Amino acid sequence: MARQAAGFQSTESYIVSPELALAVNAAVTLEKPLLIKGEPGTGKTKLAEELAAALDTDLLRWHIKSTTKAQQGLYEYDAVSRLRDSQLGSERVHDIANYIKPGKLWQAFTADKRPVLLIDEIDKADIEFPNDLLHELDQMEFYVYETGEQIKATHRPIVIITSNNEKELPDAFLRRCFFHYIRFPDAQTLKQIVSVHFPNLQPKLLNAALEVFFDLRDVPHLKKKPSTSELLDWLKLLLVEDIGPEQLQSNQAHGGLMPMFGALLKNEQDVELIEKLAFMSRRQSK
């Protein structure tokens, strides 16, 4: 396993393309946030986990929701608790710092050693969210108005930001990032990924499964293409149910739905589309 960021590469449990490894190393060298885009299930979040493990450092996760505000990444002031303590006559009220809760950026800035900070699914938040973090991510410091403290990064954290492309990010934010789009793996790379999770999988079953999988991804007008993680779930089910390559090939040849299709197809429109195509294929084969 790699131990230096400059040499980050594939590990025993995570396969990265040379382009992705180069992007990670470039972002670390430039001390810029690494903005990772790609289809859901292509390993964007896993990248931060593996990088932290490779560096033997802490991973701080900030999972973004539609209601998340940038301020929460810095700190939150619990005025309600202070008012309650005041009414109860608690001595805590005399020190406002008792009611300041550090956010993920604060934790990253004050970590004992250089951590990896994951800002996951940034495109889930309001459009102003990225702009509200520009100064903090650029200067690596912020001001706490309630206490008069200036929080500055002891060690500049390695920042990984993921996006599923649900909305466009502001240009000013993009300029401050190093960008990489994770392309969907080709068949050879997928075989490497599968071998990490299922080292004893029969080559015949893997080849047959990948043929079905890529044919499914190539279907026009599919609302959600199956991802790498869904392929792994599907393969696990095939093994549990003892479904062999012959059954997969027979289903495909005769226009049938793939076994355990619920692991690959995630909405009713796509199921209906594949069922319709399977029906048409069966009619043509008669």
Side-chain angles (χ1 to χ4, degrees), residues 20-32:
L20 178 55
L22 184 63
V24 172
N25 299 325
V28 172
T29 300
L30 294 172
E31 296 189 329
K32 286 179 175 286

Side-chain angles (χ1 to χ4, degrees), residues 196-266:
V196 167
H197 297 270
F198 304 103
N200 299 318
L201 189 67
Q202 292 181 1
K204 276 189 174 182
L205 177 58
L206 176 56
N207 290 335
L210 286 181
E211 184 176 347
V212 172
F213 178 75
F214 277 110
D215 283 351
L216 181 59
R217 281 184 55 86
D218 287 340
V219 172
H221 312 301
L222 206 62
K223 188 172 181 180
K224 184 195 176 303
K225 295 182 179 181
S227 67
T228 306
S229 60
E230 288 156 352
L231 169 65
L232 296 175
D233 288 344
W234 186 51
L235 287 170
K236 183 176 181 179
L237 289 173
L238 295 182
L239 290 171
V240 169
E241 297 297 324
D242 197 23
I243 295 171
E246 296 79 11
Q247 185 175 342
L248 291 180
Q249 291 165 344
S250 176
N251 278 41
Q252 192 174 32
H254 295 92
L257 278 175
M258 68 288 298
M260 305 294 170
F261 63 84
L264 300 174
L265 301 172
K266 298 300 183 178

